[in-house]
Amino acid sequence: MQKTAPLSAGGVVGVRSTGTLGALLREWLPRQRWFAGKDRPLNDLRLLSMTELYPGCLHLLVQTGQSGVPSPGGTLPPGDCYQLLLGIQEHLSPRLGRALIGRVETGALAGLTVHDALQDPRSAHLLLERMRHPGPLGPLSFESDPSVHVPSGLAPRLLEAEQSNTSLVYGDAFILKVFRRVQSGVNPDLEVPVALAGQGCGRVPAPVAWYRTTHPQEATLGVLQPFLPDASDGWTLALDALARGEDFTPQAYALGGATAEVHLALAAAFPVGPLGDNARTAAGMTERLEAAAHHVPALRPYVPGLTTAFGALAACDPGPPAQRVHGDLHLGQVLHAGREWFVIDFEGEPSRPLAERRSAQSPVRDIAGMLRSFDYAARQRRPWRPEWARRCREAFCAGYADRAGWDPRKKHALLRAYETDRAVYEVLYEARHRPDWLPVPMAAIERLAVRGG
Ligand SMILES: Nc1ncnc2c1ncn2[C@@H]1O[C@H](COP(=O)(O)OP(=O)(O)O)[C@@H](O)[C@H]1O
Ligand SMILES: O=P(O)(O)O[C@H]1O[C@H](CO)[C@@H](O[C@H]2O[C@H](CO)[C@@H](O)[C@H](O)[C@H]2O)[C@H](O)[C@H]1O
């Protein structure tokens, strides 16, 4: 293991040190949407690598030290590793005010202003130039599919949506996703779309360029893909349909079919495991439930009822064989463009270790994710529209069954257990990131625990 370097002179960035680059970042990081450790104080920050992308722009990998933080499962040191691109200037132009991180008072950068370079069009342009010219740069390596031409001079814009990563759109032709929380190993959001493209699966935009680091460990840092310019995501479309009182079942049916197609391509591209070992899966789900109940007290009264679902899973027939899956499928991860559904963002649930996200799992995990999403959408309206969600869920399963050759609705115990597991994940996710949304998955928890589905 490589030794990590302190981010400020004098060792680990201390609580009282102000004015150093480390102190500025320690104050700025926890305020970012993509910062995963919001529930624990950030005690220290260490520098893993620093590379000059071009004059005035630094690429950093930093390691957080947080009390009570679990190891992310990779071989990077314990804590979380984040990717930062920092613009360093004497004076920041007022139009970049929102990108400001602060002014460094001491150390090698004393007197200079630091900003988030991904919010700076000039830096975004130069980052694309790096991707257009593959090759190594210190510990970084830029690579591309030589069969695709990426033109120079595409105007960049930052996607403003609240996300787990940072995405830049170039000339409405390409989208670059810069992974913020980095785990060692290849990121499934590169690995899977490349493999699906190899299968000729047109439902997933194929990567055209990417960059990675080899220090302190191998890790994917960013992926450039074709941008679908007139696409609308499934969440927006579902909410629009609800607002207009419109039926969404034809779209849900088509989405079920598209999901099955992606599953078939995944099963062809990656090794398929044996039939599900339900007892082991149920034990894992029970463990996750207990851990979530530890963090979110509101879950505790429902633990016995929810555990029943996992018990039923352990006792039921093995489900479909384990295979690579999407891992975090919901309406925000599907795009509708030109009358077709496309699937994006194969990273899986961000809080799970990378090895787990890359392992073969039941395809029911994805089906349950999407079923939960129809429930989320229906609960955005007052009064709640359970019938709308029920019809979408039915249609989605019917579309899936027609394309996959097996019907998820006939796997009741399996579906209920995976839906429960997903709702437990959502409770934890909302408690950490969007406490106002907690009632949405909690309503499902109540339904699944008390009424059994
Ligand atoms: N190929 C694409 N074409 C059009 N829009 C896209 C594409 N890929 C992603 N997007 C848009 O970017 C958003 C964020 O992408 P996503 O991969 O989900 O990032 P994150 O992991 O940060 O949530 C999506 O919700 C979608 O609106
Ligand atoms: O898209 P991400 O990879 O960032 O996924 C995370 O954030 C999602 C919210 O943005 C979260 O999804 C939950 O909320 C959605 C509505 O905003 C809903 O459609 C999903 O069904 C629900 O799970 C997702 O769980 C999380 O991993």
Side-chain angles (χ1 to χ4, degrees), residues 188-201 204-207 262 265-271 324:
D189 208 14
L190 172 62
E191 179 189 35
V192 171
V194 166
L196 291 180
Q199 292 297 317
C201 172
V204 177
V262 171
L266 282 167
F270 293 96
R324 287 295 291 266

Side-chain angles (χ1 to χ4, degrees), residues 159 163-165 175 177 205 226-228 332-333 335 344-345 347:
L159 271 193
Q163 290 158 25
S164 308
N165 299 291
I175 179 166
K177 178 160 161 179
F227 182 70
L228 304 168
Q333 310 282 40
L335 300 176
I344 57 166
D345 195 359
E347 271 195 279

